[in-house]
Amino acid sequence: MQKTYKKYFPVFALPTLIAFAIAFLVPFLMGIYLSFCKFTTVTNAKWVGIANYTRAFSNRDFPNALWFTVKFTVISVILINILAFLLALLLTRKVKGTNVFRTIFFMPNLIGGIVLGYIWQLIINSVLLSTVGADITARAGYGFWGLVVLMCWQMIGYMMIIYIAGIQNVAPELIEAAQIDGATRWQVLTKVTIPMVMPSVTICLFLTISNSFKLFDQNLSLTAGLPGKQTQMMALDIFNTFYGRNGWEGVGQAKAVIFFIIVGIITFSQLWLTRRKEVEG
C-alpha cells in the first residue's frame, strides 16, 4: 500500500504544486525583483538597485507607520490573549448556557474587516461627539484605542475557542493530583493548566501577532490614517505609497519586502520561543 501511495503521490501533488507556484511563488519572487526596480507595469521595470529602499526611509511616513504598528500590536496581543484565556476558563466550567456564550463571543470574527471598521466608526464617533465634541479622526490617541478596541472585539472570540480546546484537553487526573497534593487554584492554573495549554498559546500568539501587523481593512475604514497619517499602519502605508504616489510603485514594493521580513522574523521568533515552553505528552 505504501508503494502505491509513493507511486501516485506526484500525480496528486503536482496540480497543487503548480497552483502554488503560479499563485504565490512566482509573484513573490517577482515582487522581490521589482523592489529593486523603477516601474509602472511589470513590463517596463528598470533596475535601480537599493534606491527604492533608501527612498522608503527618506520621509517619516514609513518609520512612523512602523512604530504605530508595533505599539498597536503589543497592546492588542496582550489584551486579546489575556481576555480570551479568561473567557475560556469561565466557559469551560459547568455553567448553563456556555455553548450560547461561545457562539456569541465568536460571531464578531465572522464580520468582514471593512464592515467592522465602519460599524465601530459609527459607535466610537457617537460616543466621542456626545462627550468631547470630536470624532475619531480628531486625535491620534482616539484612533489608536479605537483600533485596539475593534481588534479585541473581533479576535477575542476566535482565540477563546482555541484556548477552550486546549483547556478541555488537559487531563483531569493532573488537576486532581495537584489538588490532592495541596495546590491552590492559582498554583493549579500556573503550574498545571497553563503549561499544558502552551500549544494553544503558541497558535494564538502567532495568529494575533501576524493579524495585528497585517491589519489593513479595519485601519482603512476606521481612521484611514487620519489625522495626518498619524494612525496609518504599515499595510495602509504600503498601499498608499504604491497606489497613491505616481512613480513610487517600486518604493511601495520595497516597503512590502521590508514588511514581510519584519513580520517573518517576529512570528518565527515567537514560534521558536513558545514551542520551547510546550510540555510533551
Side-chain angles (χ1 to χ4, degrees):
M1 184 64 71
Q2 292 294 331
K3 291 182 178 179
T4 304
Y5 288 151
K6 291 180 180 179
K7 181 180 179 181
Y8 290 102
F9 176 78
V11 176
F12 294 104
L14 189 60
T16 302
L17 292 175
I18 293 173
F20 174 79
I22 294 173
F24 176 79
L25 188 59
V26 172
F28 175 75
L29 295 176
M30 186 177 293
I32 294 176
Y33 168 74
L34 290 174
S35 70
F36 295 96
C37 299
K38 183 177 182 180
F39 67 95
T40 53
T41 66
V42 295
T43 58
N44 67 350
K46 180 181 178 182
W47 184 267
V48 293
I50 63 170
N52 289 331
Y53 290 89
T54 303
R55 292 177 72 188
F57 292 96
S58 62
N59 58 55
R60 298 298 303 169
D61 288 350
F62 189 58
N64 288 342
L66 174 59
W67 176 235
F68 184 86
T69 304
V70 170
K71 291 190 296 181
F72 167 80
T73 300
V74 171
I75 299 297
S76 297
V77 168
I78 292 172
L79 289 176
I80 290 170
N81 283 279
I82 290 176
L83 294 175
F85 186 76
L86 292 176
L87 283 175
L89 285 176
L90 290 173
L91 296 179
T92 49
R93 300 179 182 275
K94 295 181 180 179
V95 181
K96 290 183 179 180
T98 54
N99 290 333
V100 175
F101 285 115
R102 292 178 188 179
T103 303
I104 292 172
F105 288 131
F106 181 76
M107 285 178 67
N109 189 67
L110 304 177
I111 303 175
I114 290 289
V115 175
L116 195 62
Y118 284 124
I119 291 172
W120 273 99
Q121 186 188 73
L122 292 173
I123 296 172
I124 294 171
N125 281 344
S126 64
V127 173
L128 290 175
L129 288 170
S130 62
T131 55
V132 298
D135 64 11
I136 195 171
T137 61
R139 293 178 58 184
Y142 297 157
F144 176 82
W145 289 108
L147 285 167
V148 170
V149 170
L150 183 155
M151 190 68 174
C152 289
W153 191 76
Q154 183 180 28
M155 294 292 294
I156 283 174
Y158 186 17
M159 300 304 109
M160 177 199 70
I161 296 298
I162 297 174
Y163 282 126
I164 286 175
I167 293 171
Q168 289 180 334
N169 283 329
V170 177
E173 295 82 4
L174 292 175
I175 297 176
E176 292 175 4
Q179 291 172 339
I180 292 171
D181 289 338
T184 62
R185 287 187 177 181
W186 176 252
Q187 289 173 326
V188 171
L189 175 64
T190 56
K191 302 298 183 181
V192 179
T193 304
I194 292 178
M196 296 302 296
V197 179
M198 278 306 296
S200 296
V201 174
T202 298
I203 295 170
C204 289
L205 284 177
F206 176 80
L207 291 174
T208 50
I209 290 173
S210 59
N211 286 334
S212 295
F213 264 104
K214 297 185 297 181
L215 196 72
F216 173 74
D217 294 357
Q218 297 89 329
N219 188 200
L220 177 64
S221 57
L222 187 66
T223 67
L226 298 174
K229 299 183 179 180
Q230 294 181 61
T231 61
Q232 183 173 254
M233 298 181 68
M234 291 179 69
L236 182 58
D237 177 65
I238 293 168
F239 175 83
N240 288 334
T241 302
F242 196 97
Y243 293 104
R245 303 186 67 173
N246 188 31
W248 281 62
E249 291 83 0
V251 180
Q253 193 63 47
K255 289 183 177 182
V257 173
I258 297 170
F259 184 34
F260 170 79
I261 294 172
I262 291 172
V263 175
I265 291 173
I266 292 173
T267 52
F268 279 108
S269 298
Q270 172 264 310
L271 288 173
W272 179 75
L273 289 171
T274 53
R275 280 177 175 170
R276 294 179 64 192
K277 302 291 184 180
E278 293 181 7
V279 179
E280 296 183 2

